Amino acid sequence: MIVMKFGGTSVGDGAAMVRVCEIVGSRRGRKPVVVVSAMAGVTDRLLDAARLAGEGDLRSALGVVHELRGRHETAIAEAVPDAKLRAQAEEVVATHFAGLDLMLEALALLRETGPKAEDAVVSHGELWSAEILARALEARGQPGVWVDARKVIITDNTFGRALPERAVVAERAQAHYTAAVGKGKIPVTQGYVGATARGTPTTLGRGGSDFTAALLGAALRVDEVEIWTDVDGLMTADPRVVPAARPLPEASYDEAAELAFFGAKVLHPATILPLVELGVPVWIKNSQRPEANGTRIVAQSPRSEGTVKSIASKRGVTIVNLRAPRMLGAHGFLKAMFDIFERHGTAVDVVTTSEVSVSVSLENGPTEPGLLTDLGTLGDVTVTPDRAIVCVVGEGLRETPGIPARIFRAIASVPVEMISQGASKINLTFVVQDGHAVEAVRRLHEEFFPR
Ligand code: ADP
Ligand code: ASP
Ligand code: MG
């Protein structure tokens, strides 16, 4: 068995869905389970609709949904040629749209906003794309069947970034997908979406379809997980930042995980972890160019010639600095500080310390009320927004002399505010002003991947 995940642009319109059918057809003998994202842009629009409804602007919310309905109807017309199956797809999708209208009316009446309401609304995107793709496959003689991920990806109730209950997911996945595959079917299921044990819809965080693919891959102990997207693989940098970026033939789990964590959007940061124990290889492939090699991600990947494999950046982060002269020579201080982050459910990315102060970077800033006040009991707190993390990754980086010198020479004109190396053997990470992030990544790419 294999898992094949198709991202938003890979199912972005009817023609893209037809391409997906061909790719899935080429893997028929490998017993694929297909995971799909919502059509490109749909998740954003559904979030708009949820917010508008919650603010009481039902008219605008329904307007958004109307526009989405048109897009899905067009996709059905393009991707499902068979009249009977097309009528079926239209009917199913119409029913889901009617349900969504009712939901938005209820949210508007109750002025209900927040992650729980958003998850219920936003989960429609993957429902539509999965239902359509299953019929598009069927119309091409491939036995696609929609399987509801909400019956399998059982999560806690942290709406908006829910955590799956791995043991339950494993059990349910066997029951739902293995059973369908055993009957010769090709299950098509929603990425990103799950449900609590009570059946309330949840989502795994933006970009979470990759994570669904990994969870199912681990649960079903598949031979491979394929992530089909809009670029030729994991690349030497984000090609939107560095047009000359090149695809990597291979990367290690550790390299891929670090890159994803520090901003390489091509993989959701949680994707690699479920697959590591089982050693399931991950492929990243381009659905618009299936003939391109793609990147293979495996446990051990040899060092590349120049050591550095790729450069990632995560923008819009905030630095929180805590200065506490009392820390000098005292023990237990870091524990007290990290206990506060823990209590407020705030994850920190980069950490640096000096004798009397500690700096940490936070992805979304100090959003939790009370966090800064609590930190203030330990010392003086300063908050610096609009920063970016830049991360240089490669197996063997720590053991290779000269790499840090090359990094900082390449970006000599950019002020560097925090540096971290050594926590992981394979990366060097630093913080700059957000406005300097693009320049830093480009200069580093020039240095390590000259044309
Ligand atoms: P999908 O909808 O298929 O999940 P995403 O938009 O989430 O696709 O991720 C693919 C995008 O990730 C690419 O278009 C690219 O701009 C971006 N990206 C960022 N860093 C990298 C990288 N190192 N390698 C490849 N793509 C990257
Ligand atoms: N559709 C979701 C998003 O846009 C999940 C995904 O694409 O992976 O975040
Ligand atoms: Mg994605």
Side-chain angles (χ1 to χ4, degrees), residues 322-328 333 355-358 378-380:
L322 176 62
R323 193 184 142 76
R326 275 188 295 126
M327 176 183 160
L328 193 60
F333 179 81
E355 245 168 51
V356 292
S357 73
V358 182
L378 298 177
D380 299 329

Side-chain angles (χ1 to χ4, degrees), residues 76-410:
I76 294 174
E78 288 167 0
V80 191
D82 175 273
K84 198 168 138 227
L85 287 167
R86 191 165 62 233
Q88 252 184 38
E90 277 163 0
E91 198 187 315
V92 172
V93 166
T95 311
H96 294 315
F97 268 101
L100 177 57
D101 284 354
L102 284 177
M103 189 181 279
L104 291 170
E105 278 172 36
L107 295 181
L109 276 173
L110 299 169
R111 293 286 191 276
E112 185 72 35
T113 55
K116 186 175 181 181
E118 284 170 8
D119 279 0
V121 171
V122 95
S123 61
H124 285 81
E126 272 71 12
L127 194 56
W128 298 324
S129 57
E131 290 269 30
I132 297 173
L133 187 65
R135 263 83 185 188
L137 282 166
E138 229 186 318
R140 284 167 183 78
Q142 302 183 46
V145 57
W146 171 63
V147 176
D148 191 350
R150 293 168 298 186
K151 297 211 159 67
V152 178
I153 307 291
I154 304 304
T155 71
D156 68 1
N157 61 1
T158 323
F159 297 99
R161 51 184 172 99
L163 290 174
E165 315 275 1
R166 292 279 302 275
V168 186
V169 172
E171 199 181 295
R172 303 266 184 115
Q174 294 285 348
H176 284 79
Y177 302 100
T178 312
V181 170
K183 288 185 200 141
K185 301 281 188 195
I186 303 176
V188 181
T189 199
Q190 310 102 292
Y192 174 58
V193 172
T196 63
R198 293 184 56 201
T200 313
T202 55
T203 62
L204 305 178
R206 294 306 303 270
S209 297
D210 303 328
F211 189 28
T212 303
L215 288 168
L216 294 183
L220 300 170
R221 297 176 173 263
V222 296
D223 301 321
E224 267 170 14
V225 171
E226 296 180 343
I227 306 286
W228 289 86
T229 182
D230 59 355
V231 286
D232 280 352
L234 187 59
M235 305 182 82
T236 49
D238 183 346
R240 285 179 216 193
V241 178
V242 182
R246 315 196 266 269
L248 300 165
E250 201 173 88
S252 69
Y253 286 143
D254 287 347
E255 288 170 332
E258 295 280 358
L259 289 167
F261 184 71
F262 287 112
K265 190 189 162 212
V266 66
L267 273 184
H268 181 278
T271 310
I272 296 297
L273 200 62
L275 302 171
V276 170
E277 279 162 41
L278 300 168
V280 177
V282 182
W283 278 94
I284 301 184
K285 303 260 304 170
N286 189 343
S287 67
Q288 286 151 36
R289 287 184 1 103
E291 69 285 0
N293 230 340
T295 302
R296 185 163 181 261
I297 302 170
V298 286
Q300 307 282 343
S301 166
R303 293 165 60 150
S304 67
E305 205 178 307
T307 308
V308 171
K309 283 246 181 87
S310 182
I311 302 147
S313 67
K314 182 146 120 184
R315 308 212 22 208
V317 307
T318 299
I319 307 300
V320 174
N321 176 273
L322 176 62
R323 193 184 142 76
R326 275 188 295 126
M327 176 183 160
L328 193 60
H331 58 83
F333 179 81
L334 286 176
K335 178 174 188 313
M337 180 174 176
F338 284 102
D339 280 349
I340 292 173
F341 284 113
E342 155 108 39
R343 218 166 42 243
H344 289 278
T346 301
V348 307
D349 292 345
V350 183
V351 181
T352 57
T353 71
S354 79
E355 245 168 51
V356 292
S357 73
V358 182
S359 288
V360 301
S361 73
L362 308 182
E363 184 167 350
N364 302 315
T367 44
E368 293 300 313
L371 172 68
L372 295 179
T373 319
D374 286 357
L375 286 174
T377 61
L378 298 177
D380 299 329
V381 180
T382 34
V383 176
T384 319
D386 300 323
R387 291 315 189 247
I389 300 173
V390 177
C391 180
V392 180
V393 173
E395 289 288 347
L397 195 134
R398 192 160 74 185
E399 296 92 49
T400 312
I403 301 271
R406 283 176 68 191
I407 290 175
F408 294 112
R409 206 180 315 121

